[in-house]
Amino acid sequence: MSHIDQHADETAYHYQIIRRAIEAIDAGGPGLTLEELAGEMNMSPAHFQRLFTRWVGVSPKRYQQYLTLGLAKTLLRDRFTTLETANSVGLSGSGRLHDLFLKWEAMSPGDFARQGAGLTIRWGWFDSPFGPALVMGTDRGLCGLAFAAETGADAAMADMRARWPKAEFVEDPGALAPDVTAAFAQKGETHLHLIGAPFQIKVWEALLAVPSGHVTSYSEIAAAVGNPKAVRAVGTAVGRNPVSWLIPCHRALRKSGELGGYHWGLPVKRALLAWEAARADADDRKTA
């Protein structure tokens, strides 16, 4: 087995462990001991410790607190991001995610209205820290990233293709690999091509301003894009985000402390938030 294949197997395996850990904590409560939680995973405590520490950078006992249902309220209290007005949020075209530099450009409204006609979209399946990922991209950058662990591969593919029904879709993972590798490694540079309606793109650009390990609210995004009463429309636009994780729709929560929805399944959203929160806290301790 090559190093790349081994890494892919490990990342897929890690997500399945996270998924089972979420279920175990929901059933048994946050008071589960390390030994009990490891037992639920059919793993030794030592193996469990090594796996989690390698995957997220913190111990499984510490990581356990990030998987609880109460994480959203904790993040809203401790790591809430207040967005500025749309003028300062949108149209910047670049941003940073850990050590990953993101550059993006938006498709024109006229091009979007043509539903992808004349556009070639390349696609491929990749293993990610959060399970199998369907990635799509144009010559300008990644335009789609779907997590299929909860929905299934066929549903994810049908969902993404339906967004740009007149485009030509070509299986070509090699063309996407440089951007995908940088994205999942959180290092280097990844290009994004935002394909959506003008209002959707405003919302997605606001999401790009929320730092990793932090969250915001749907109402905060509505204010940032200049339409504070459009909370429901913002929620719809957040849900239609085609580039999961990199355009971080998982960081949008309800003000009540509820997670809200997630297009690719709430277990994935919880894993994403927990992974980022744990890494952010680990980074804070390193720099303290």
Side-chain angles (χ1 to χ4, degrees), residues 169-189:
F169 291 87
V170 178
E171 184 176 9
D172 188 1
L176 306 171
D179 278 332
V180 173
T181 300
F184 290 152
Q186 301 277 279
K187 293 180 180 179
E189 183 174 282

Side-chain angles (χ1 to χ4, degrees), residues 106-154:
M107 176 173 277
S108 71
D111 287 337
F112 172 69
R114 287 191 283 274
Q115 298 182 303
L119 192 67
T120 297
I121 296 179
R122 294 174 174 81
W123 63 271
W125 285 98
F126 296 84
D127 283 291
S128 81
F130 311 102
L134 172 62
V135 184
M136 295 185 170
T138 70
D139 291 338
R140 298 182 185 181
L142 303 184
C143 65
L145 197 166
F147 292 115
E150 304 295 326
T151 64
D154 291 345

Side-chain angles (χ1 to χ4, degrees), residues 74-136:
T74 301
L75 289 171
L76 284 169
R77 183 190 69 220
D78 299 338
R79 291 187 172 273
F80 181 78
T81 292
T82 300
L83 300 175
E84 299 299 328
T85 63
N87 289 335
S88 62
V89 168
L91 305 178
S92 59
S94 64
R96 185 172 291 278
L97 182 68
H98 288 299
D99 293 322
L100 177 69
F101 186 67
L102 291 173
K103 297 182 70 175
W104 64 86
E105 61 177 294
M107 176 173 277
S108 71
D111 287 337
F112 172 69
R114 287 191 283 274
Q115 298 182 303
L119 192 67
T120 297
I121 296 179
R122 294 174 174 81
W123 63 271
W125 285 98
F126 296 84
D127 283 291
S128 81
F130 311 102
L134 172 62
V135 184
M136 295 185 170

